[in-house]
């Protein structure tokens, strides 16, 4: 878009208003995370300071208790004492397999849905939309009894498959809308040249579909990484992923008086997402708007 | 595309969805019509020095054996739906006839767990959704008016509350509004009440949950609207300017109509997402003050005795609510499809 910016210049008072608003919003968006990051290197008495809120910045008690203004106690407690690293490993395994399996399924299905002109393709997508709207916890209440009976409960593999299925509706919509943007002529001309559908997909579509796959993959990753309802209820204590682990810290550490473990774990779980946005901001934005622009 | 090829391509996805979405729903339906077997009661004759008497006792072993043999329990029809934990017809009728004022009736209804949950869920959904749209639009306009060079970093920071995990995001906020946290102390100072605590007050808790809800989803609305603002037709805008339209009129008659379909889209997604509000209630440990439909199901599934049937009935009622919420969209999509 190369319209002249002069047309869009706002009057001074309006610009000032918008800038003020923007600054307020940025503070709202960023400060809670910065505050917690800073506080994660303090002791509890500073992070939750009844005496003086500036203690959380200067770390009065942290200095008296540990000798330095910053302490890694929270991180040590979370990662070593409470074995948060196990949860991190489990999360990594779950995310990797969910993204791989989910992308394979939804790429194939999304391609077929974008190319089919029959009514059932439409109904397929509508069913997916309804599934997307259902709270995952309602499905979990359906899993528990059969899973207990068939001894499927508590395994990482079960959770992975469940997350793949819950992920499907959203990924399908996204992949379908991406494939609709790849002209039909491309694969149809390949088929005129003698390819069958699978060959056309492999040789013509596969090389050009990666932007869509990456964006959909990002959102599958976010879903698997952020899930709480499924992982909290389908996994045992010793193979928990990060988010249920953090939630369980709240139960155990509050009583032990060591809420700082949870604070450190929260920061540890947030850091990868921070890096993710840093590198994939463009894809995330395009993914969020993909559904909107194409209806 | 031929039917056979289509089926081959969608098969993995279809199987996953049928096995792990459709079947669980069926499982939920079946469970919701069953209840755990009652305890096996035996009549035991105990004879003492003063003659024999018959007493009833629970046979624990037989109960255990029966419950394990038939985990599904016995068929009870609609009982699970109408009992006190769900639609509570009897209690509602009683509350209606015994209450003299609307307030009295309302407080009785709010004491029924299912109605309490649905009132909170709907309040949350219908307050957070419009506020999210408004805030998202305001951020989009503000970022759009900023210098092009700094827009990237602005978008980066704005995305944070949305991308960060909801459990984590709400925890971060919760720690800040804790009575010993910085925001909590600020609130105490503003209200000049040193004992004020968000954790202890129901209205404060509801407000905090909704503030979190808006904070968390505003970035999504912002990104969508921002993308929309990039594609406003500048020719139309200029034509309107030449015709003498002032700034407000151009926003009203050019920008808003262009953004309107996006508002519908954001509203739809937000209605779906806010209706399943779940994580913030857990992070805020809000169960004493607010219960959503999702956390109500969770509390049945994680309680001391696991109430599968009660959870199943709530799940079914939730799915029905989702259906009602979505019906206008489904009807519209169907019409668009028929027209196309």
């Amino acid at each position: 878009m190369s319209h002249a910016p002069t047309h869009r210049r706002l009057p001074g008072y309006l610009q000032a208003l918008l800038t003020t608003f923007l600054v307020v919003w940025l503070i709202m968006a960023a400060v809670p995370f910065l505050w917690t990051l800073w506080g994660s290197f303090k002791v509890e008495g500073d992070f939750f300071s009844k005496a003086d809120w500036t203690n959380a910045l200067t770390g009065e008690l942290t200095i008296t208790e540990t000798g330095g203004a910053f302490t890694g106690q929270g991180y040590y407690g979370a990662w070593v004492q409470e074995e948060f690293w196990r949860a991190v490993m489990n999360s990594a395994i779950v995310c990797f397999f969910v993204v791989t399996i989910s992308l394979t399924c939804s790429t194939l299905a999304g391609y077929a849905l974008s190319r089919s002109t029959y009514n059932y393709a439409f109904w397929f997508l509508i069913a997916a939309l309804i599934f997307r709207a259902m709270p995952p916890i309602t499905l979990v209440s359906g899993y528990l009894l059969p899973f207990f009976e068939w001894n499927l409960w508590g395994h990482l593999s079960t959770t992975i498959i469940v997350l793949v299925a819950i992920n499907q509706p959203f990924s399908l919509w996204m992949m379908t809308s991406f494939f609709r943007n790849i002209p039909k002529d491309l694969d149809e001309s390949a088929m005129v040249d003698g390819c069958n559908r699978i060959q056309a997909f492999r040789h013509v579509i596969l090389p050009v579909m990666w932007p869509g796959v990456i964006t959909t993959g990002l959102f599958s990753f976010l879903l698997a990484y952020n899930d709480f309802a499924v992982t909290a209820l389908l996994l045992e204590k010793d193979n928990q992923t990060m988010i249920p682990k953090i939630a369980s810290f709240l139960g155990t550490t509050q009583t032990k008086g060591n809420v700082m473990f949870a604070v450190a774990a929260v920061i540890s779980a947030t850091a990868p997402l921070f890096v993710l946005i840093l590198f994939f901001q463009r894809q995330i934005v395009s993914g969020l708007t993909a559904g909107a622009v194409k209806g | 595309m031929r039917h056979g090829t289509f089926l081959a391509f969608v098969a993995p996805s279809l199987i996953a969805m049928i096995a792990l979405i459709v079947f669980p729903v069926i499982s939920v339906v079946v469970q919701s019509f069953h209840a755990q077997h009652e305890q096996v009661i035996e009549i035991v004759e105990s004879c003492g020095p003063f003659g024999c008497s018959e007493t009833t006792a629970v046979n624990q072993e037989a109960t255990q054996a029966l419950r394990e043999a038939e985990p599904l329990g016995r068929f009870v029809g609609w009982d699970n739906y109408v009992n006190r934990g769900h639609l509570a017809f009897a209690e509602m009728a009683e509350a209606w006839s015994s209450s003299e004022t609307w307030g009295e009736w309302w407080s009785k209804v709010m004491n029924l767990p299912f109605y309490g949950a649905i009132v909170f869920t709907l309040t949350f959904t219908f307050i957070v959704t419009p506020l999210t749209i408004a805030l998202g639009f305001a951020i989009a306009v503000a970022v759009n008016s900023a210098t092009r060079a700094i827009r990237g970093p602005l978008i980066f920071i704005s995305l944070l509350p949305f991308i960060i995990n909801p459990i984590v995001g709400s925890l971060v906020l919760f720690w800040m509004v804790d009575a010993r946290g910085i925001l909590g102390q600020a609130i105490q100072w503003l209200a000049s009440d040193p004992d004020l605590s968000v954790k202890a007050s129901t209205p404060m808790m509801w407000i905090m949950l909704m503030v979190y809800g808006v904070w968390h989803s505003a970035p999504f609305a912002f990104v969508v609207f921002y993308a929309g603002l990039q594609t406003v037709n500048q020719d139309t805008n200029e034509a309107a300017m030449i015709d003498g339209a002032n700034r407000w009129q151009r926003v009203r008659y050019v920008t808003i109509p262009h953004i309107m379909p996006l508002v519908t889209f954001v509203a739809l997604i937000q209605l779906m997402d806010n209706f399943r509000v779940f994580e913030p209630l857990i992070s805020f440990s809000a169960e004493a003050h607010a219960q959503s439909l999702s956390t109500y199901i969770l509390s049945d599934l994680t309680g001391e005795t696991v109430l599968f049937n009660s959870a199943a009935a709530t799940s079914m009622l939730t799915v029905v609510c989702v259906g009602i919420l979505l019906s206008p969209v489904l009807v519209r999509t169907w019409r668009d499809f028929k027209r196309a």
Side-chain angles (χ1 to χ4, degrees), chain A residues 1 8-10 25 28 36 49 119-120 124 132-134 141-143 161 168 226 228 243 270 281 292, chain B residues 3 13-14 20 24 27 144 152 155 158 164-165 172 180 185 215 230 247 265 272-273 276 282 315 337:
Chain A
M1 241 120 316
R8 309 175 52 90
R9 178 134 317 145
L10 295 165
W25 162 249
M28 278 168 57
T36 313
S49 180
N119 267 356
Y120 54 68
F124 199 105
R132 155 86 170 75
M134 286 199 300
S141 74
Y143 298 137
I161 301 294
Q168 278 305 300
N226 284 341
F228 176 70
I243 304 301
T270 308
Q281 181 173 330
Chain B
H3 300 308
S13 185
L14 189 63
L20 290 157
S27 148
N144 205 35
I155 294 173
S158 301
I164 300 305
N165 176 288
V172 165
R180 297 163 300 158
Q185 286 181 21
W215 180 76
Q230 305 308 305
R247 175 172 305 279
F265 166 78
M272 294 200 292
D273 286 354
R276 32 187 214 193
I282 295 180
S315 299
F337 176 72

Side-chain angles (χ1 to χ4, degrees), chain A residues 102-119:
Chain A
S102 177
L103 274 184
T104 314
C105 295
S106 61
T107 305
L108 292 172
Y111 173 68
L113 286 168
S114 73
R115 294 299 185 257
S116 176
T117 46
Y118 293 104
N119 267 356

Side-chain angles (χ1 to χ4, degrees), chain B residues 104-120:
Chain B
E104 199 186 331
W105 175 76
W106 182 248
S107 71
K108 279 183 186 165
V109 170
M110 286 300 282
N111 270 333
L112 295 167
F114 178 76
Y115 287 99
I118 203 161
V119 166
F120 173 79

Side-chain angles (χ1 to χ4, degrees), chain B residues 190-249:
Chain B
L190 281 177
S192 30
D193 174 3
D195 295 322
L196 193 67
S197 163
V198 172
K199 278 190 234 174
S201 140
T202 303
M204 291 277 280
M205 187 58 100
W206 282 45
I207 292 171
M208 263 319 293
L209 285 166
M210 288 178 201
V211 167
Y212 167 77
V214 174
W215 180 76
H216 170 68
S217 16
F220 167 68
F222 148 66
V223 166
V224 174
F225 293 143
Y226 178 73
L229 287 178
Q230 305 308 305
T231 56
V232 173
N233 191 331
Q234 287 308 314
D235 293 342
T236 320
N237 220 351
E238 271 162 39
M241 210 144 86
I242 292 164
D243 287 349
N246 63 26
R247 175 172 305 279
W248 167 242
Q249 283 168 328

